[in-house]
Amino acid sequence: MTENLSPIDTAKYVAAKRASEMVEDGMKVGLGTGSTAAWLVKCLGERVANEGLRIVGVPTSSRTAELAREVGIRVVTLDEARWLDMTIDGADEFDPQLNLIKGGGGAHLQEKIVAMASDKLVVITDASKRVDTLGAFPLPLEVIGFGWQATKVLVEEMLIGLSTPGHSSMLRMNGDAPFVTDEGNHILDLQLKSIENPRQLSMVLNQIPGVVENGLFIDICDTVVIGHGDGAVKVLNLSDQQTRPE
Ligand code: 5RP
């Protein structure tokens, strides 16, 4: 599965492999979305096939559901599973408090619901996603299609009011047409440059009519597994770091 991998794919693979080893027999597992999470699904599929690992998986997108079924993982909905032992997912950025930006793949709405319904969120990533301050990666904001241009104006006015270093936003496209999420919504990517107060921003964004969910994951992630191009893996646990305010 890993011959001829580039350093970046090696990093993603080794992080995913390490996280897959955290999954125990009988667990209900949230399955993230994106290229790193795809490695995770493949690693879990190998354990199902080779070790007889019995798990049920709750995918966070139609893409992940399709892959999970292909590799032999039993797929159920979140409503069927009700609560999960663990979710394993990728991220676009993580900071020293293990707060995240997610949604580069347009799946952060389902990803946040699934992560919040889990005892633990484990993020798998390569080292390039580590930042001191979130916000260089454009923050994804899922908005409903109805009146999205008015929502965009309200979001930008709110950002100006908060004096964020950047305040423009762009409708995410898929070729010539707006990108459509699994829930039938659109995505605005917010060019913020730097987010000084992610907790405040997350709460304020979700108050704007038309906004469904933002891609900030605050106080949700417990563990980050960082893969490196040479095959090394580092695991950061929030409990070891004790970096979150009381
Ligand atoms: C999808 C996500 C992904 O986890 C995030 O974009 C990272 O993706 P990749 O592993 O491909 O870099 O949030 O909505």
Side-chain angles (χ1 to χ4, degrees):
M1 184 151 79
T2 57
E3 299 91 52
N4 305 321
L5 287 184
S6 65
I8 188 74
D9 280 331
T10 299
K12 292 177 183 189
Y13 168 72
V14 293
K17 177 111 177 73
R18 174 68 68 87
S20 74
E21 290 159 3
M22 298 174 181
V23 174
E24 295 169 14
D25 202 45
M27 277 189 168
K28 295 189 263 186
V29 185
L31 305 171
T33 295
S35 56
T36 320
W39 281 116
L40 180 267
V41 173
K42 289 177 194 164
C43 289
L44 286 176
E46 279 204 336
R47 289 195 60 197
V48 169
N50 299 339
E51 299 170 29
L53 180 76
R54 288 164 303 166
I55 54 168
V56 291
V58 172
T60 53
S61 63
S62 47
R63 279 164 282 165
T64 297
E66 192 180 337
L67 179 61
R69 288 194 184 95
E70 264 174 40
V71 301
I73 296 174
R74 189 176 147 225
V75 168
V76 299
T77 65
L78 182 57
D79 289 328
E80 286 166 327
R82 299 172 74 97
W83 198 261
L84 308 179
D85 297 290
M86 180 186 290
T87 286
I88 306 173
D89 200 350
D92 299 300
E93 284 185 349
F94 68 96
D95 74 6
Q97 288 76 40
L98 309 193
N99 292 322
L100 316 171
I101 286 184
K102 285 186 49 54
H108 65 273
L109 173 58
Q110 289 190 20
E111 290 171 338
K112 199 181 272 194
I113 295 169
V114 169
M116 292 293 288
S118 306
D119 285 343
K120 190 174 166 64
L121 173 62
V122 176
V123 160
I124 48 180
T125 179
D126 61 86
S128 70
K129 311 279 184 71
R130 180 178 195 138
V131 296
D132 288 333
T133 305
L134 299 173
F137 190 92
L139 177 66
L141 191 66
E142 182 152 343
V143 297
I144 66 166
F146 177 83
W148 71 267
Q149 297 191 65
T151 303
K152 182 176 188 295
V153 170
L154 289 171
V155 167
E156 290 177 358
E157 281 178 355
M158 186 277 289
L159 295 173
I160 291 168
L162 286 180
S163 303
T164 51
H167 47 76
S168 62
S169 64
M170 281 180 60
L171 182 69
R172 190 178 299 182
M173 301 297 286
N174 182 11
D176 291 338
F179 177 87
V180 179
T181 69
D182 274 352
E183 301 303 319
N185 299 314
H186 295 324
I187 301 259
L188 294 176
D189 288 304
L190 313 187
Q191 324 282 329
L192 302 173
K193 298 184 181 155
S194 172
I195 303 174
E196 298 310 316
N197 190 337
R199 190 182 311 275
Q200 177 200 40
L201 181 65
S202 176
M203 286 192 291
V204 174
L205 282 170
N206 283 10
Q207 298 300 313
I208 297 172
V211 171
V212 183
E213 190 54 79
N214 69 78
L216 285 165
F217 282 47
I218 310 296
D219 295 349
I220 301 178
C221 175
D222 301 280
T223 299
V224 176
V225 181
I226 307 165
H228 295 268
D230 63 0
V233 177
K234 183 166 183 200
V235 179
L236 300 179
N237 285 305
L238 189 66
S239 51
D240 300 337
Q241 304 209 166
Q242 297 186 329
T243 43
R244 253 175 213 159
E246 291 298 310

